[in-house]
Amino acid sequence: MARTPSNMLPLGTIAPDFNLLNTVSLKKETLTQWKGEKGTLVMFICNHCPFVIHVNPEIVKMAENYQNKGIQFIAISSNDIVNYPQDSPELMKKVALKENYNFPYLYDETQETAKAYDAACTPDFFLFNAKLELAYRGQLDDSRPGNGIPISGNDLRLAIDNLLENKEINSMQKPSIGCNIKWKN
């Protein structure tokens, strides 16, 4: 299991727009369509990564807690499906339904969106404010598969809470750790 850290895109970066396939609705959708009133969390995830599987229940719970407060969650998978067919759009839809994703699960076939966000791993979290300026990029919490630390979402929850309360978000942020994005050759 690879342990790839986030690249830590500079804070204040404007969220790159995208037009990606929603694997559940089978329609192309954009960041503008899904942008949250108070903030938007863009997550790079995939189906097979043990780090993502480990945090799936917490990200679903967090979306349930924060979407009604104006924070929109968006998940994107950018993995090469030729070499990693378990991350295909058809199987993404199955995972979204099985895990009860209450947010869009989009497929980045060209990998251009992952490159625009400088995403490196799954999961990789990018929290943007209402103006789509990057406010947080980093880990969900200190829990990892097999390390015995319970999943809490503390780091990301604190960032979202501070965003909602118009408080400063600490710029010292720990990178997310996970499987590397499976880039096409």
Side-chain angles (χ1 to χ4, degrees), residues 81-150:
I81 64 169
V82 172
N83 292 307
Y84 298 87
Q86 62 270 45
D87 290 327
S88 71
E90 298 80 18
L91 295 178
M92 288 171 62
K93 179 177 182 174
K94 286 183 179 180
V95 167
L97 296 172
K98 176 181 165 264
E99 296 293 334
N100 295 312
Y101 286 175
N102 49 1
F103 44 81
Y105 193 14
L106 309 177
Y107 175 51
D108 178 20
E109 181 177 12
T110 66
Q111 300 185 318
E112 291 304 314
T113 301
K115 290 174 185 170
Y117 280 77
D118 202 19
C121 60
T122 56
D124 214 349
F125 300 98
F126 299 85
L127 177 65
F128 297 90
N129 65 20
K131 297 177 186 175
L132 291 176
E133 300 164 332
L134 186 62
Y136 178 86
R137 75 290 189 247
Q139 68 176 10
L140 182 75
D141 58 30
D142 289 321
S143 182
R144 306 286 184 267
N147 76 356
I149 298 172

Side-chain angles (χ1 to χ4, degrees), residues 7 32 39-40 44 53 60 68 87 91 123-124 144 151 173 181-182 184:
N7 285 330
T32 307
T40 305
F44 287 85
I53 293 166
V60 169
N68 65 352
D87 290 327
L91 295 178
D124 214 349
R144 306 286 184 267
I151 301 169
Q173 301 167 1
I181 290 180
K182 308 308 183 209
K184 296 178 181 181

Side-chain angles (χ1 to χ4, degrees), residues 38 66 71 127 129 135-136 154-171 173:
K38 296 184 179 174
Y66 288 109
I71 304 294
L127 177 65
N129 65 20
Y136 178 86
N154 282 347
D155 291 46
L156 185 55
R157 283 180 184 277
L158 179 61
I160 294 172
D161 289 342
N162 284 344
L163 182 70
L164 289 170
E165 296 168 15
N166 294 314
K167 292 182 179 176
E168 186 173 335
I169 297 174
N170 188 341
S171 62
Q173 301 167 1

Side-chain angles (χ1 to χ4, degrees), residues 58-78:
E58 184 62 21
I59 62 175
V60 169
K61 186 181 352 173
M62 288 179 70
E64 289 171 358
N65 293 343
Y66 288 109
Q67 284 177 328
N68 65 352
K69 296 177 181 176
I71 304 294
Q72 179 58 53
F73 283 53
I74 301 168
I76 300 172
S77 178
S78 301

